[in-house]
Amino acid sequence: MKKFDKERVLLAVAGPVIALVAAILLTSVVLIASGKSPIEPYTLMLEQASYSDVQVLIINQASMYYLAALAVAVGFRMNLFNIGVDGQYRLAAMMTAVVGAHLALPSFLQIPTLLLVGMLTGALWAGVAGLLKVTRGVSEVVATIMLNAIATSLIGYLTLKDVWGVQVGNNMTTGTMKESGWVSGIDLGSDVGQIYGLVFLAVAMGVVYWIVLNRTRFGFDLRATGESESAAAASGVDAKKMVLTAMLISGAVAGLSGLPLLLGDAHTYSLSFPTGLGFTGITIALLGRNNPVGIAFAALLIAFLDKASPALDYATPVAYEKEIATIMQGLIVFAVVISYEAVRQWGLRRQQKQVGAELAAAAAQNNVQKKEVAA
Amino acid sequence: MSTATIAKPQAEQPGKGSRRVSLPVLLLIIAGVLVLTSVVRLVTGAHGITSTGQMSTALRLAVPIGLAGLGGLWAERSGVVNIGLEGMMILGTWFGAWAGYQWGPWVGVVFGIIGGALGAVLHAIATVTFNVNHIVSGVAINILALGTTRYLSKFTFENVPQGSSKQSPPIDSLGTFDIPGLSGWLDTLNTKHWFLVSDIAGLLGGLITNLSPLTVVAIALVPLSWWVLWRTAFGLRLRSCGENPVAAESLGVNVYKYKYIAVIISGGFAGLGGAFLSIVASNVYLDGQTAGRGYIGLAAMIFGNWMPGGLALGAGLFGYTDSLNLRGGTTNVHALILLLAILLVFGAAYLVWRKKLVPAVITAVVSAGMFAWYLGTHEVPKQVVTATPYIVTLLVLSLSAQHLRMPKADGQPYRKGQGK
């Protein structure tokens, strides 16, 4: 019965494509308005992407974005808005770095332990918001925003010199991690760089995400609760427990998202550790429509914008502002959500029309039959 | 039929009365907290916690939060969640500074409002016309506002003297004023450190010392918002869109129009809050100046149960905890730990009275921990001070969230004719 509907595929692809085209057009308008060439920045950025060292940077960055976006997407599937991914991954990365600096196990134990520490820390921090939501009814949006700010202070305190901090020059770090906890990557030569080993973890998490959500009872309950809490409750799902579980899982995945960089390259948590991953994760989860493959493409796209745009500042003969990439990100989100909504409405109308046509045809046939009987 | 419908609200009345805090009870609670604070101040010797300077700083920090909260109030009363307040504030800081350094501070204020409203138009188009998820649209506005202002700074502030890509040239001040006589008198009363009298003098003195005209405008906007929203036909229609848009539509209200107006006003308030930051609170635009105040404003509004008065109280509380950051925070927050511990003792006693034993024990244990922390240390780490406003927000929300009621159709999608 399940026949291949060409128009449905078209509908699924139309959203992102329309969004991208709209975002590029709008960005060009901004460029023209500021008296710059509306095309050259794109060619400059594409040229950047053809260098293999930039490609490695993009893949590494995308792996972190991918994990952060998965964390956001788990919440989204359940109608939960985990804005706290940002605080969760920073706190988790810091705790992992501290444990990694003080614990010395053989590699095959050390690395799983570190991953576990990251996941538990992230889950703990997200769990606070989950617990407040189910027991006290505090909106998870506000709670996670507050927890982000509190995480910043907490990290500031824990990296003080008389707590766990180690000063290196002007930078506060948590001390270098023991080498057994380093995850070696694929070395592509000194001038190209190294692909983080944990890129594969990101891919594996994508597969796990898909299996858990689409092929297990738990995933079904989770999606059902997201679609309609009352309907799920009627079929025996404990909504409160689901909220807490989803929050914990989201936090655990968020806790992993800083680790590719930490275990693969930085080996210490310092003031220069990247921030804002969680917010980019929201963009990416939206762009990828909570679909593991879609998120992968979205993560690569945003990582490309990130890593190819700094070159704009040094372009000759005309330099461009690299902030144009941030504007483009914001525009992409807008274009994406609006075009998805528009395409959805269009799809609904098309479906209504189809059903209407079928019903009309059936009714017409009935009438004909009746007439024949009457005749 | 008719008897049943009349009897129902009467039956509900007593239950409603006991749940809601009446004005005398509220005043009693405020007075109680004031007395306690005074006691704590005398015990700890941390006179800073109610000094005129502290209160004056608190007010200056509360104004942008309150304005953001008012913005949130207008939007959410019409049924649109506005988490893009942060981005609209950022636009307000930039536009306010950009116009302010060229054409004077008052023009800056106007441009700040316009900047915030521009962001709001975008939010309204996305959420009202296209029915996009309100939070998603808000997050997008926050990203976009950040990128746009940074981009624009490179074209404008970077090329003028005293400006850079992260900072605008200085803006002329709007000036400040005191109430002659009274301000000085309250200040001397405050420095005497008398029980209760000095605290009240500090509180009142802070409200009338070093006032910016924009602060007065901002404070006046709180009752004005209440009056417009709750005492005019326009306000009634606007709120009906947030409670039940289908019913409003059936009475001939153009729901789209009211939502647009509400969201744009909301952005104007947030923009004004931003302009206050760049023109009054400091005298330049700085990259990252808002530092999450839009979000805190939203939390203040939720804390205030979607009402202007409660919102102002919330903003005052956050402004106060924020001001500890700037003035002797480490010792003052240390003193406040004692205050919190005492308050928790009262909370535990209340819970015992209500026969809720398990929460009472937990509260008592937390209180004991606070006492131990207070006695074991002389001041708190600086990081605790920075986190204080956020921890207070979480604490207050976790205590009050269940008594709050948001507009019924807040954040819900609405299509014209959906009720047919």
Side-chain angles (χ1 to χ4, degrees):
Chain A
M1 260 326 275
K2 214 176 177 181
K3 67 177 181 203
F4 183 75
D5 188 345
K6 248 194 272 176
E7 273 194 52
R8 272 188 64 181
V9 178
L10 193 71
L11 274 177
V13 180
V17 171
I18 294 173
L20 270 181
V21 172
I24 289 173
L25 283 179
L26 284 171
T27 314
S28 297
V29 170
V30 173
L31 283 166
I32 292 172
S34 44
K36 303 255 171 172
S37 154
I39 297 159
E40 209 191 343
Y42 306 120
T43 52
L44 279 172
M45 278 165 71
L46 284 174
E47 192 186 307
Q48 281 291 311
S50 66
Y51 301 129
S52 40
D53 56 337
V54 178
Q55 283 168 3
V56 169
L57 285 177
I58 290 174
I59 289 178
N60 287 342
Q61 185 69 47
S63 72
M64 292 165 65
Y65 281 160
Y66 187 66
L67 286 166
L70 281 185
V72 177
V74 170
F76 271 149
R77 291 309 288 266
M78 167 108 197
N79 243 339
L80 274 179
F81 221 103
N82 184 3
I83 297 192
V85 169
D86 209 58
Q88 287 147 24
Y89 93 83
R90 280 185 287 134
L91 199 64
M94 193 222 75
M95 286 304 291
T96 314
V98 169
V99 172
H102 291 96
L103 186 77
L105 294 172
S107 220
F108 71 95
L109 284 176
Q110 178 88 344
I111 292 168
T113 313
L114 292 180
L115 294 182
L116 204 64
V117 168
M119 288 174 81
L120 286 178
T121 315
L124 177 87
W125 206 240
V128 175
L131 212 59
L132 283 176
K133 186 175 173 73
V134 295
T135 60
R136 308 301 312 172
V138 180
S139 150
E140 82 281 6
V141 176
V142 179
T144 48
I145 289 171
M146 298 296 133
L147 284 168
N148 279 344
I150 297 172
T152 307
S153 297
L154 188 61
I155 291 169
Y157 175 73
L158 292 177
T159 50
L160 283 182
K161 216 186 292 178
D162 44 1
V163 189
W164 290 325
V166 178
Q167 186 141 16
V168 178
N170 270 336
N171 206 345
M172 274 325 276
T173 74
T174 51
T176 311
M177 294 168 68
K178 299 275 189 292
E179 265 192 55
S180 64
W182 297 16
V183 177
S184 53
I186 305 166
D187 203 349
L188 298 173
S190 56
D191 51 339
V192 178
Q194 207 180 46
I195 294 180
Y196 300 153
L198 289 184
V199 165
F200 297 100
L201 176 78
V203 176
M205 288 305 288
V207 176
V208 172
Y209 170 88
W210 185 83
I211 291 174
V212 168
L213 276 180
N214 295 306
R215 286 290 178 271
T216 66
R217 186 179 154 187
F218 170 77
F220 178 77
D221 285 351
L222 191 123
R223 284 180 293 132
T225 320
E227 294 283 335
S228 162
E229 203 168 299
S230 53
S235 66
V237 178
D238 182 351
K240 282 190 170 178
K241 208 175 116 192
M242 288 306 293
V243 168
L244 192 57
T245 325
M247 226 34 205
L248 288 174
I249 293 177
S250 176
V253 179
L256 284 177
S257 58
L259 301 192
L261 171 66
L262 184 72
L263 302 190
D265 185 28
H267 307 307
T268 184
Y269 186 90
S270 67
L271 293 177
S272 52
F273 205 80
T275 60
L277 211 63
F279 293 101
T280 319
I282 296 173
T283 313
I284 294 168
L286 285 172
L287 193 59
R289 312 189 83 172
N290 303 329
N291 174 300
V293 181
I295 295 176
F297 280 115
L300 284 168
L301 173 70
I302 301 291
F304 158 71
L305 285 178
D306 261 18
K307 294 298 170 190
S309 61
L312 291 178
D313 267 352
Y314 310 108
T316 47
V318 191
Y320 293 88
E321 284 67 26
K322 66 171 183 293
E323 280 75 14
I324 197 74
T326 319
I327 295 189
M328 204 167 160
Q329 267 187 33
L331 288 175
I332 286 177
V333 181
F334 258 114
V336 160
V337 285
I338 292 181
S339 80
Y340 281 175
E341 186 58 33
V343 166
R344 197 179 70 89
Q345 297 278 346
W346 181 54
L348 274 178
R349 265 206 299 281
R350 190 183 77 97
Q351 207 175 8
Q352 276 170 355
K353 241 184 234 166
Q354 250 177 12
V355 173
E358 276 168 23
L359 285 175
Q365 215 168 9
N366 270 344
N367 280 343
V368 170
Q369 277 170 352
K370 269 182 198 160
K371 269 179 197 162
E372 278 171 359
V373 172
Chain B
M1 270 299 277
S2 63
T3 49
T5 47
I6 291 168
K8 227 178 177 182
Q10 275 175 345
E12 274 182 8
Q13 214 58 39
K16 227 177 181 177
S18 70
R19 258 189 287 122
R20 281 178 87 181
V21 181
S22 61
L23 191 64
V25 175
L26 190 70
L27 288 177
L28 209 64
I29 291 175
I30 292 176
V33 171
L34 212 57
V35 170
L36 258 181
T37 314
S38 189
V39 171
V40 167
R41 175 175 65 82
L42 290 175
V43 170
T44 58
H47 294 297
I49 58 177
T50 56
S51 70
T52 311
Q54 186 87 57
M55 293 299 170
S56 168
T57 314
L59 181 65
R60 199 160 25 151
L61 291 169
V63 166
I65 295 172
L67 284 171
L70 275 181
L73 178 80
W74 276 80
E76 302 220 353
R77 277 291 167 187
S78 79
V80 179
V81 174
N82 191 354
I83 209 166
L85 285 170
E86 175 75 10
M88 296 172 198
M89 271 186 111
I90 294 175
L91 290 171
T93 55
W94 191 89
F95 276 94
W98 177 71
Y101 90 88
Q102 303 184 74
W103 305 303
W106 284 111
V107 181
V109 170
V110 173
F111 268 80
I113 295 172
I114 295 174
L118 279 179
V121 170
L122 204 57
H123 190 56
I125 292 174
T127 55
V128 181
T129 306
F130 288 100
N131 255 332
V132 167
N133 182 311
H134 299 182
I135 295 179
V136 170
S137 164
V139 170
I141 284 180
N142 294 343
I143 300 174
L144 200 58
L146 195 67
T148 311
T149 50
R150 281 184 182 162
Y151 186 70
L152 288 172
S153 296
K154 288 212 166 171
F155 287 96
T156 49
F157 300 149
E158 204 170 48
N159 311 320
V160 285
Q162 290 182 279
S164 73
S165 64
K166 293 193 180 300
Q167 189 178 337
S168 76
I171 310 156
D172 291 337
S173 166
L174 283 170
T176 57
F177 64 94
D178 294 343
I179 294 181
L182 198 57
S183 299
W185 179 66
L186 285 172
D187 196 34
T188 31
L189 210 55
N190 179 249
T191 46
K192 298 242 194 276
H193 303 315
W194 289 337
F195 174 70
L196 205 54
V197 178
S198 296
D199 300 296
I200 294 173
L203 186 62
L204 294 179
L207 294 181
I208 57 168
T209 308
N210 248 338
L211 274 183
S212 160
L214 204 54
T215 310
V216 180
V217 172
I219 294 173
L221 283 172
V222 176
L224 187 70
S225 289
W226 175 81
W227 185 78
V228 172
L229 284 173
W230 273 271
R231 285 294 177 273
T232 64
F234 169 80
L236 178 68
R237 288 183 195 132
L238 193 146
R239 283 185 298 121
S240 72
C241 298
E243 296 289 344
N244 192 338
V246 176
E249 181 193 317
S250 74
L251 293 172
V253 175
N254 185 345
V255 177
Y256 288 166
K257 187 180 100 187
Y258 277 89
K259 285 195 177 202
Y260 259 91
I261 292 174
V263 174
I264 290 170
I265 291 177
S266 160
F269 273 116
L272 180 60
F276 185 92
L277 279 177
S278 57
I279 296 172
V280 179
S282 68
N283 64 344
V284 288
Y285 156 85
L286 289 169
D287 190 25
Q289 196 168 27
T290 56
R293 284 195 178 80
Y295 298 123
I296 299 189
L298 204 67
M301 181 210 60
I302 295 173
F303 162 76
N305 198 11
W306 285 267
M307 296 292 282
L311 175 163
L313 199 67
L317 183 67
F318 301 136
Y320 179 72
T321 42
D322 215 7
S323 72
L324 295 170
N325 255 325
L326 300 177
R327 304 174 61 98
T330 46
T331 47
N332 288 348
V333 171
H334 185 243
L336 289 180
I337 292 173
L338 183 64
L339 179 67
L340 191 61
I342 297 173
L343 283 177
L344 282 174
V345 170
F346 280 107
Y350 174 75
L351 286 169
V352 170
W353 179 62
R354 291 288 296 268
K355 297 208 169 60
K356 289 179 181 165
L357 287 179
V358 177
V361 170
I362 295 174
T363 315
V365 169
V366 174
S367 170
M370 290 279 185
F371 271 118
W373 186 11
Y374 172 75
L375 293 173
T377 54
H378 289 292
E379 54 176 35
V380 293
K382 203 173 132 277
Q383 283 76 18
V384 175
V385 182
T386 26
T388 302
Y390 309 102
I391 295 175
V392 168
T393 311
L394 267 189
L395 272 180
V396 167
L397 279 180
S398 62
L399 289 177
S400 61
Q402 283 170 336
H403 301 289
L404 303 179
R405 196 195 75 83
M406 66 171 180
K408 208 170 171 193
D410 201 8
Q412 307 286 327
Y414 162 80
R415 277 252 150 266
K416 192 180 263 174
Q418 70 178 14
K420 279 176 196 160

